[in-house]
Amino acid sequence: MEEIQDKKYSQPCIAQPVSPAGLEALYVACREIYPDQPNPLQVAAVIKYWLGGPDPLDYISMYFNRGNSDLGVPPHWHYISFGLSDLHGDGRVHEKTGLGELSGFGFEITFRLKREPGETSPPTWPAQLLQSLAKYVFLSGNVLYAGDHVSWHKALDSSESLIEHILLMEDPQFKTVSTPNGEVSFIQVIGVTKSELECAQRWSPHGVIEILKKIPGGTCGGNWLVTDMRRGMSMFELDPNSSQLVKEGIEKDGSNLSGVAAVCSWKESREIEEDKYGEIVENSSSNNKYSSFSHGCSNSWQQEDFESTELLQKKNLENVMLTFNYESGKLLPSVIRGRVRHGRHFSFKAVTGNGMITLVGEGVSGKSVDTEHPYVATGPWLQVLIPDCYAEEMASDLDLLESDYEKLILPKVFSWPERGLSITIESGCIDSIIKQPVL
């Protein structure tokens, strides 16, 4: 590996054009970690985004990292993006900001990929993965946070690998960087299996991350969670104790996820007449539909996005119909058991527009709903109260959604006429979905 280092990276310094101040500040942070690699291999957008190109990241640098055997971290390639923060400071991409503010979106994304034996240069497919995530951020305006997770639904490298989903955490080697254009943090992409993602959905992404770090032998990447696309077993198979830790965590904490971006809609109905799993017969008085197909990933959400709705008139509804795509709807049983029954709330925010459906437990403070008025709309935001006495019944009815997708016949309608509530699950698929923990 020493030979690789010398040949690939330890090149004599040559005169380079002066970098923009924001970009140079990030380069300095990288040189502090990799002082022996002043000129790393780099993927650059052929036509910059601000000149009409399709790729929002100006550059993605690729460094060789020796790892840390004491922490179970194997040698790997470290990919670092440049472009989600404000590199130029002249308004060509991001609004101008300064010290003490966020630079651009306030973060860059990184990825660590285990180096395969005999590999002398980093694979370039992770650059496209980072570009895809960045493209969604630019198109939606939504920020990625440590603790979010992404349902990618295919191997990250488009192979037959079991690593087909993503968790996000703070990059362990970077601190927040102060640039002339504002603050920049570094969010690391971690490749995980389907069962690990589902565990993060039911419980806690942070909890899953901590378990992955402690898998014996650094099989899951050690403390820095280096992604190994050849990992053939989940953390539950690698360490049987993981299942017990997860069970104890769920029993103690419930779920610490408070929201998800989703393909969803809600509709006020004058009446709902149907069998429990039958066809809906309804007379709609209004249709507040905010659904969209999102390629790549869906956005995280923040409660402050809806502060302006306090200025809108609240409306009590008698009957409501909720619609979710399967990807979002299959979360409902764990949302009710892990959030609502613990006296918490959970929100499904439409991937476009301001539409949002919030399921509320009885113990949530500041809610607009109560037992006499269980459905309250504030503009495009609908709150739905799920009383403790109905929560387990609803969750049990919805458990059907956790069965094999191929065995479900969609659309599927769940109805509780005595409550004036129905939920329709449609077959529309969203490529990926990011969850955000409680702030």
Side-chain angles (χ1 to χ4, degrees):
M1 202 60 223
E2 292 295 335
E3 185 178 358
I4 295 174
Q5 283 289 100
D6 293 340
K7 288 185 177 180
K8 291 288 182 181
Y9 302 113
S10 298
Q11 302 173 1
C13 293
I14 58 177
Q16 296 288 341
V18 176
S19 300
L23 178 59
E24 182 59 29
L26 301 185
Y27 281 163
V28 169
C30 291
R31 287 195 289 268
E32 290 178 356
I33 298 174
Y34 298 105
D36 59 337
Q37 300 176 51
N39 298 302
L41 295 178
Q42 195 172 67
V43 174
V46 177
I47 302 176
K48 297 295 185 284
Y49 195 69
W50 37 274
L51 292 176
D55 298 320
L57 299 176
D58 282 12
Y59 310 102
I60 299 169
S61 289
M62 302 177 288
Y63 294 89
F64 170 69
N65 191 301
R66 298 178 184 278
N68 186 322
S69 58
D70 292 338
L71 299 177
V73 180
H76 60 276
W77 307 108
H78 194 187
Y79 301 77
I80 303 165
S81 78
F82 300 91
L84 284 161
S85 64
D86 189 358
L87 306 180
H88 305 280
D90 56 8
R92 72 179 71 180
V93 179
H94 302 281
E95 292 185 9
K96 292 183 179 180
T97 51
L99 296 175
E101 300 178 274
L102 293 180
S103 172
F105 290 105
F107 72 101
E108 296 289 351
I109 43 181
T110 72
F111 181 63
R112 297 174 186 269
L113 177 66
K114 183 178 179 180
R115 185 182 72 86
E116 297 297 337
E119 203 167 48
T120 59
S121 60
T124 57
W125 65 261
Q128 187 56 50
L129 176 69
L130 300 189
Q131 286 284 13
S132 295
L133 289 169
K135 189 174 296 184
Y136 178 77
V137 173
F138 270 83
L139 293 176
S140 68
N142 295 289
V143 176
L144 305 182
Y145 295 92
D148 285 355
H149 55 283
V150 184
S151 303
W152 203 252
H153 295 297
K154 62 179 181 180
L156 303 188
D157 61 353
S158 299
S159 69
E160 299 299 317
S161 173
L162 296 180
I163 307 301
E164 53 186 16
H165 301 287
I166 291 170
L167 299 183
L168 299 174
M169 74 173 190
E170 295 179 356
D171 190 294
Q173 286 191 286
F174 279 104
K175 299 178 181 178
T176 298
V177 175
S178 295
T179 80
N181 305 325
E183 305 291 311
V184 182
S185 60
F186 293 82
I187 303 299
Q188 180 175 317
V189 171
I190 308 159
V192 296
T193 67
K194 179 181 178 181
S195 62
E196 290 157 2
L197 173 81
E198 291 174 344
C199 179
Q201 292 174 337
R202 294 194 307 270
W203 175 38
S204 161
H206 293 295
V208 172
I209 285 171
E210 290 307 309
I211 292 176
L212 288 170
K213 288 180 179 179
K214 298 173 183 177
I215 295 298
T219 311
C220 293
N223 278 22
W224 297 354
L225 292 183
V226 174
T227 296
D228 179 4
M229 294 304 297
R230 295 192 178 186
R231 175 159 68 95
M233 293 188 288
S234 72
M235 68 182 192
F236 301 104
E237 297 167 301
L238 292 167
D239 184 2
N241 292 327
S242 298
S243 296
Q244 183 62 30
L245 291 173
V246 171
K247 180 180 178 181
E248 292 173 356
I250 293 175
E251 290 176 351
K252 177 182 178 182
D253 306 323
S255 171
N256 80 336
L257 302 178
S258 64
V260 59
V263 174
C264 63
S265 65
W266 63 267
K267 183 184 290 188
E268 179 188 6
S269 180
R270 292 192 184 97
E271 58 185 83
I272 297 176
E273 300 175 357
E274 61 172 294
D275 294 330
K276 186 161 230 175
Y277 304 107
E279 294 296 325
I280 287 182
V281 178
E282 57 89 18
N283 295 308
S284 176
S285 60
S286 66
N287 185 353
N288 293 279
K289 187 156 186 168
Y290 300 88
S291 60
S292 173
F293 179 85
S294 175
H295 178 74
C297 62
S298 300
N299 57 292
S300 302
W301 68 280
Q302 296 188 61
Q303 191 71 32
E304 53 265 30
D305 292 342
F306 293 88
E307 289 179 352
S308 61
T309 61
E310 295 180 2
L311 303 177
L312 300 174
Q313 183 178 0
K314 291 182 172 62
K315 182 180 180 181
N316 297 323
L317 309 179
E318 294 296 325
N319 302 284
V320 295
M321 300 170 58
L322 313 181
T323 302
F324 301 92
N325 73 324
Y326 172 74
E327 178 71 25
S328 307
K330 70 178 183 179
L331 300 176
L332 287 168
S334 58
V335 164
I336 293 172
R337 292 191 177 102
R339 294 289 298 177
V340 174
R341 293 197 67 188
H342 285 259
R344 301 171 185 170
H345 64 84
F346 190 95
S347 291
F348 295 86
K349 182 184 181 297
V351 292
T352 60
N354 291 324
M356 185 165 79
I357 300 168
T358 299
L359 306 184
V360 181
E362 289 186 4
V364 175
S365 61
K367 59 184 181 294
S368 299
V369 291
D370 55 39
T371 53
E372 292 185 5
H373 305 99
Y375 313 119
V376 176
T378 308
W381 180 14
L382 176 69
Q383 290 189 34
V384 176
L385 177 67
I386 301 180
D388 293 342
C389 58
Y390 287 99
E392 184 54 39
E393 176 192 347
M394 287 185 63
S396 296
D397 291 341
L398 294 164
D399 278 339
L400 182 65
L401 298 174
E402 295 186 339
S403 61
D404 189 349
Y405 174 79
E406 300 298 330
K407 297 179 181 179
L408 289 174
I409 299 176
L410 301 177
K412 171 70 71 175
V413 178
F414 300 86
S415 179
W416 301 269
E418 73 282 3
R419 297 286 301 160
L421 174 65
S422 74
I423 296 176
T424 300
I425 307 299
E426 297 181 338
S427 58
C429 182
I430 188 168
D431 275 327
S432 51
I433 194 164
I434 296 182
K435 287 85 177 174
Q436 178 176 313
V438 173
L439 300 175

